[in-house]
Amino acid sequence: MGAKGFFTDTTICIGCKACEVACKQWNQLPDDGFALTGMSYDNTAALGASTWRHVAFIERPVALSNQMADGFSWLFSSDVCKHCARAGCLESCPTGAIVRTEFESVFVQQDICNGCGYCVVNCPFGVIDRREDDGRAWKCTLCYDRLKDDMTPACAKACPTESIQFGDLDELRVRARGRVEMLHEQGMQEAYLYGDSAAAQPGTEGLNAFFLLVDKPEVYNLPPNPVVPTKNVGQSWLSMAFAALGVAAVALGSVAASRHGGAR
Amino acid sequence: MKTDGRDIDPSLGMLLGEGSGQQVKRDDERMEAVLPLPWDKTPTVSETDPTYYDRPLLKEPVWKIDIPIYYFLGGAAGAALALGAAVQLAGDGELQEFGKRCHWVGIVGSSIGGALLVHDLGRPMRFLNMLRVFRPTSPMNVGAWILSGAAPLAITAGLFSNRQGLLGHVGSAAGYGAGLFGLGLAGYTGVLVGNTSIPLYQETRRLMPVLFLASATASAASILDILFEDRRSSKITFIFGTAGRLAELGCGFAVENVAGRVPQVAKPLHSGVSGALWRTATALTAASLVISLIPGHSRSRRKWAGVLGALGSLALRFAVHYAGTASARDPRASFRQQRAKMIA
Ligand code: SF4
């Protein structure tokens, strides 16, 4: 099988939202209401339990080297679950409902999830969410059902510019690095890869869905240096152990002290 | 197969998938929950300090008030069970009754707490799925095991520990076990919040377990003081409670300081509902400490100290809960925290 993933090249995204629609359609996800947000053409707002692709529109008075408009830039980026190499959602899931598949993607087994909501606060990207009505956690499955049948995930299939590329991760990484070099040669020095390897993003040990960006991650609502919480949980257990020893000592001490007059 | 004249299989158009048939919340509600601004007031993406239109980076906790109440009850139960085991260990006949009370506080706290936990699940009927794996990387899984050990042990201890013969031995063994599991029960919730992406919790992940254990100690002593009265045991709860309240105050102060390394991260402790609760908690605990320290024996004063102390601990748990939500809503808290680490 091998590791599969997405390479999202934001420089060729045209903001058509075909990926959003294809995802909703294939996965039979409900709409999340029709409200205007005032955030450029983005009325989807965020990823969530029923939105597994979200195209961000960044419209602002900042000049970027590839955009002609004087002192103005417009960026599009199709966001998705990153299928982290070390996934906060998976490692924190108390039921084992979230698993790593044979494609190295992160998958929520809906027949097991009991809706504890712990993955929601463990994802450093704010991806996974619990559905109000059915009580379980939902997120992108990397179209697990399609992969099983050797098909490309719906979003990548629908993307008309190949901004979303799906394939073997090793191959995608090579292609992505080539693309960055190409952009640099063309004078677009801002281009860089986000989360393409463990070295680039040690906190998650790399993302199976990585991005080519041309501005700070914050602009796209991506964290600059995400760390999977479970990486540091040992520190918490250690301090709990010391504190628990303290409580035990106080308990024994208070019982012992009560024997000899002591306090009151 | 029935067709409508076109060469289409109508069953292909039916929504039968796992994800279908869902109803999402109404749009305006959803929008308002995230960003209570009319669309023409949407912030621009700034050049120097960008966020995505001030949208949250993270998802906020979906937990309802069951959870802070559980923190409080589970904590008090755990610390009471630890105290009960210490009493057992002392083997003092005079304290038998007090040890039993500790066990009962443990039983009531862990059972109500457990019920609250189940109630907060999206799928309560699937609670037992928590126990289908043992996953040390997940504090919630470890906690589920701790709770399912602590509650039955506490019940066994409460029923049998003062009996004669074999049952008595089983009961007292259960009492020691409950003491150990109780320490876990009072502390793991601190590890659980520390192990999240929420910037405030993440920054204070080493302190949260200590704060939770301190608060548990204080609340166990407070509850025992409110419910029961006799001279010998009040000496025990006095020492236990004073240590707990002092540790609770000190630890709260340390949490503010550590979170304050990145001022944006500490903000929920100073402003909003969570800030108000946090200050209330400090004031109540301090008041309870002062009252309990006035020399001379007075039954009513001890009860008042207990009431204030318990309310202080409860307010603290709610403060931690709401501060987490506020912190998750603030993208700048995460961004600045992570940038600070990148420079360091
Ligand atoms: S992005 Fe979030 S939901 Fe997706 S794998 Fe990583 S931690 Fe899990």
Side-chain angles (χ1 to χ4, degrees):
Chain A
M1 294 298 151
K4 302 270 194 230
F6 288 128
F7 162 45
T8 308
D9 179 352
T10 64
T11 55
I12 47 175
C13 175
I14 54 170
C16 70
K17 304 190 194 174
C19 51
E20 285 189 18
V21 175
C23 174
K24 290 250 181 200
Q25 204 157 35
W26 180 264
N27 295 300
Q28 303 184 345
L29 301 172
D31 71 81
D32 344 62
F34 301 92
L36 295 177
T37 61
M39 311 186 312
S40 193
Y41 284 108
D42 177 8
N43 294 316
T44 311
L47 290 172
S50 55
T51 305
W52 301 347
R53 269 277 177 194
H54 160 233
V55 183
F57 290 69
I58 303 110
E59 193 181 292
R60 53 190 200 133
V62 175
L64 286 171
S65 58
N66 69 325
Q67 305 212 352
M68 315 285 190
D70 248 348
F72 180 82
S73 57
W74 206 12
L75 302 172
F76 316 119
S77 161
S78 180
D79 198 10
V80 69
C81 168
K82 280 66 183 180
H83 297 278
C84 316
R86 268 195 72 167
C89 60
L90 187 155
E91 292 186 14
S92 68
C93 176
T95 62
I98 307 186
V99 293
R100 177 94 41 202
T101 69
E102 64 271 38
F103 308 104
E104 300 287 322
S105 59
V106 177
F107 180 77
V108 190
Q109 302 175 85
Q110 295 302 344
D111 52 339
I112 293 173
C113 175
N114 68 8
C116 72
Y118 200 33
C119 52
V120 175
V121 285
N122 262 274
C123 172
F125 301 95
V127 170
I128 192 165
D129 204 358
R130 191 167 84 178
R131 236 177 230 175
E132 202 97 0
D133 56 337
D134 100 338
R136 295 174 294 181
W138 295 82
K139 71 168 193 73
C140 161
T141 65
L142 202 78
C143 279
Y144 184 64
D145 48 350
R146 291 174 64 94
L147 295 200
K148 277 285 196 200
D149 282 342
D150 240 347
M151 289 157 76
T152 303
C155 55
K157 185 88 191 164
C159 178
T161 65
E162 291 191 335
S163 167
I164 302 171
Q165 299 178 31
F166 169 82
D168 288 313
L169 268 176
D170 296 332
E171 206 191 306
L172 286 179
R173 288 198 186 103
V174 175
R175 208 186 299 166
R177 280 170 203 147
R179 173 71 181 156
V180 171
E181 268 169 39
M182 193 173 120
L183 286 168
H184 284 181
E185 273 162 31
Q186 291 174 359
M188 198 175 185
Q189 295 303 327
E190 295 102 328
Y192 70 101
L193 295 179
Y194 177 85
D196 63 311
S197 64
Q201 199 174 90
T204 58
E205 296 182 6
L207 307 175
N208 291 0
F210 60 96
F211 298 83
L212 189 159
L213 307 176
V214 294
D215 208 334
K216 287 185 195 156
E218 287 95 328
V219 167
Y220 303 89
N221 213 8
L222 292 170
N225 183 25
V227 178
V228 170
T230 34
K231 275 208 140 179
N232 296 323
V233 68
Q235 300 166 350
S236 306
W237 284 119
L238 194 69
S239 64
M240 180 196 133
F242 280 117
L245 280 179
V247 174
V250 171
L252 291 170
S254 59
V255 175
S258 75
R259 208 169 294 167
H260 338 277
R264 284 172 297 164
Chain B
M1 190 182 63
K2 232 179 84 187
T3 77
D4 57 1
R6 298 172 295 173
D7 195 13
I8 291 173
D9 174 1
S11 68
L12 288 178
M14 277 161 72
L15 301 182
L16 299 167
E18 256 186 334
S20 64
Q22 309 288 339
Q23 273 159 24
V24 282
K25 263 175 73 180
R26 277 207 28 127
D27 38 340
D28 346 345
E29 270 169 56
R30 185 182 67 104
M31 288 303 169
E32 270 160 31
V34 205
L35 191 77
L37 289 177
W39 67 270
D40 55 340
K41 299 259 161 44
T42 306
T44 50
V45 180
S46 105
E47 184 172 3
T48 44
D49 183 22
T51 64
Y52 189 66
Y53 305 97
D54 289 357
R55 287 269 157 183
L57 165 73
L58 302 172
K59 293 274 176 287
E60 59 194 68
V62 290
W63 300 325
K64 292 181 279 296
I65 60 162
D66 299 328
I67 297 301
I69 299 175
Y70 166 72
Y71 292 157
F72 173 77
L73 288 178
L81 288 173
L83 189 57
V87 168
Q88 258 181 287
L89 198 66
D92 191 328
E94 203 192 340
L95 285 176
Q96 240 187 29
E97 190 50 38
F98 178 67
K100 199 159 184 150
R101 288 176 202 158
C102 290
H103 288 146
W104 279 102
V105 171
I107 293 171
V108 175
S110 57
S111 338
I112 301 181
L116 287 172
L117 273 194
V118 174
H119 177 251
D120 193 69
L121 292 177
R123 288 284 171 106
M125 297 304 287
R126 293 187 182 176
F127 169 70
L128 285 177
N129 280 5
M130 294 272 188
L131 305 179
R132 70 186 270 284
V133 287
F134 178 67
R135 177 169 280 182
T137 59
S138 167
M140 191 180 279
N141 177 270
V142 176
W145 283 106
I146 290 177
L147 179 62
S148 14
L153 283 172
I155 294 171
T156 315
L159 292 178
F160 305 126
S161 64
N162 295 336
R163 297 274 183 90
Q164 299 298 316
L166 182 65
L167 271 185
H169 287 299
V170 170
S172 71
Y176 291 125
L180 281 180
F181 274 88
L183 288 173
L185 185 64
Y188 94 86
T189 40
V191 180
L192 181 132
V193 297
N195 181 62
T196 62
S197 293
I198 293 173
L200 175 65
Y201 293 164
Q202 188 52 222
E203 197 67 26
T204 56
R205 61 184 179 271
R206 287 192 193 81
L207 282 169
M208 279 299 168
V210 188
L211 179 69
F212 274 46
L213 271 162
S215 175
T217 306
S219 44
S222 299
I223 290 173
L224 285 165
D225 270 345
I226 297 170
L227 294 180
F228 308 107
E229 164 72 21
D230 75 71
R231 230 177 149 77
R232 174 79 191 275
S233 59
S234 69
K235 281 181 194 166
I236 300 179
T237 51
F238 171 71
I239 302 174
F240 200 61
T242 306
R245 285 167 200 149
L246 281 173
E248 192 174 349
L249 289 172
C251 228
F253 186 66
V255 163
E256 274 181 42
N257 271 309
V258 168
R261 290 185 298 205
V262 184
Q264 192 76 16
V265 171
K267 224 172 130 189
L269 298 178
H270 304 296
S271 57
V273 180
S274 53
L277 277 165
W278 182 260
R279 283 189 298 274
T280 310
T282 312
L284 286 169
T285 305
S288 136
L289 186 65
V290 169
I291 291 179
S292 73
L293 285 175
I294 298 171
H297 187 81
S298 150
R299 184 177 170 164
S300 69
R301 211 172 53 224
R302 223 164 56 81
K303 296 222 154 152
W304 270 110
V307 170
L308 291 174
L311 285 176
S313 301
L314 189 63
L316 181 82
R317 306 311 183 107
F318 272 92
V320 170
H321 175 73
Y322 287 117
T325 307
S327 188
R329 278 187 189 162
D330 179 3
R332 283 190 180 84
S334 298
F335 292 160
R336 290 192 189 154
Q337 178 188 38
Q338 295 180 16
R339 286 282 177 197
K341 296 251 155 57
M342 286 163 88
I343 298 161

